[in-house]
Amino acid sequence: MKLFSFWRSLATYRVRIALNLKNIVPDEIIDVNLIQGKQRDAAYRAVNPMMALPALIDGDGPVLFESLAIIEYLDETHPNPPLLPADARGRARVRGLALLVAADSHPLIVPRVREYLEHEFKLDEAARTKWCQHWHRAALTALETHLQSPETGRYCHGDKITLADICVASQAAGAKFFNVDTAPFPTFARISNELAKIDAFARAHPLQQPGAPAAA
Ligand SMILES: N[C@@H](CCC(=O)N[C@@H](CS)C(=O)NCC(=O)O)C(=O)O
């Protein structure tokens, strides 16, 4: 198994958590340096035409792409522990929470968007940071409202770790990177603090990866 990864990538963080939860150790980690723009090199474009991390190759392929699709693949091929609830309504809620992070929020703050704001619209760093913080807070506001539901337990959905928790952890890491205070979102903060204590999450954290700075 080969994982295309970069320490700072929040989407790869999600996949690393799932791999750890399922005790899967990739044979090879291929570093694609997003700060140097290596995701746009022809070699990686051939792997993932979206020029985004992560990508995963299991055995003789094909290349898997999009973190949520990869995590569901891992969940289907390595069912224990399950990352989705057994009931259809539970699965819909967990997938909804996950998509709120991975589809509605995260894509607005990725390097290609920040670089486009900079080069095409000439937004300075302060304006770009304001953009990122705005979309972070919009997601945190929605997540907090959802998480105040009685379906929330120790974690996002009851007391078992699900795909939603994996996404909440990535949102929490992103909030730190972009200096967004999560204190106004107490349920989100409680769950993300709880998740940070779990070894599979802690080992997968961006700042624990090779090449990461001591703090970001
Ligand atoms: N929806 C994708 C997001 C992929 C994505 O945008 N990844 C970021 C890193 S977290 C990336 O590689 N961005 C490169 C760029 O924006 O140029 C997923 O969840 O896998």
Side-chain angles (χ1 to χ4, degrees), residues 17 34 45-46 59 61 65:
I17 297 168
L34 295 182
R45 214 165 50 228
F65 50 92

Short mmCIF file of all heavy atoms in Angstrom, two decimals, residues 17 34 45-46 59 61 65:
data_model
loop_
_atom_site.label_atom_id
_atom_site.label_comp_id
_atom_site.label_asym_id
_atom_site.label_seq_id
_atom_site.Cartn_x
_atom_site.Cartn_y
_atom_site.Cartn_z
N ILE A 17 -5.63 8.84 10.21
CA ILE A 17 -6.37 8.41 11.41
C ILE A 17 -7.05 7.07 11.13
O ILE A 17 -6.97 6.13 11.93
CB ILE A 17 -7.42 9.46 11.83
CG1 ILE A 17 -6.78 10.78 12.20
CG2 ILE A 17 -8.26 8.92 13.00
CD1 ILE A 17 -7.77 11.95 12.35
N LEU A 34 3.41 20.19 -0.55
CA LEU A 34 2.40 21.18 -0.99
C LEU A 34 2.94 22.60 -0.93
O LEU A 34 2.50 23.46 -1.68
CB LEU A 34 1.15 21.08 -0.12
CG LEU A 34 0.34 19.78 -0.17
CD1 LEU A 34 -0.89 19.89 0.72
CD2 LEU A 34 -0.08 19.43 -1.60
N ARG A 45 0.39 14.69 -10.99
CA ARG A 45 -0.86 14.90 -11.76
C ARG A 45 -1.32 13.61 -12.40
O ARG A 45 -2.52 13.37 -12.56
CB ARG A 45 -0.61 15.99 -12.81
CG ARG A 45 -1.83 16.83 -13.04
CD ARG A 45 -1.56 18.11 -13.77
NE ARG A 45 -0.78 17.93 -14.98
CZ ARG A 45 0.28 18.65 -15.31
NH1 ARG A 45 0.68 19.62 -14.50
NH2 ARG A 45 0.93 18.44 -16.41
N ALA A 46 -0.35 12.77 -12.75
CA ALA A 46 -0.71 11.47 -13.36
C ALA A 46 -1.35 10.56 -12.31
O ALA A 46 -2.16 9.69 -12.64
CB ALA A 46 0.53 10.82 -13.95
N GLY A 59 -2.18 -2.32 -3.30
CA GLY A 59 -1.80 -3.42 -4.19
C GLY A 59 -1.58 -2.92 -5.61
O GLY A 59 -0.90 -1.92 -5.83
N GLY A 61 -3.57 -1.42 -7.56
CA GLY A 61 -4.36 -0.26 -7.96
C GLY A 61 -5.83 -0.57 -8.09
O GLY A 61 -6.26 -1.60 -7.63
N PHE A 65 -8.68 8.15 -4.55
CA PHE A 65 -8.53 9.58 -4.29
C PHE A 65 -9.76 10.07 -3.52
O PHE A 65 -10.77 9.36 -3.47
CB PHE A 65 -8.35 10.36 -5.61
CG PHE A 65 -9.40 10.01 -6.64
CD1 PHE A 65 -10.57 10.73 -6.75
CD2 PHE A 65 -9.21 8.92 -7.48
CE1 PHE A 65 -11.54 10.39 -7.68
CE2 PHE A 65 -10.18 8.57 -8.42
CZ PHE A 65 -11.34 9.30 -8.52
#
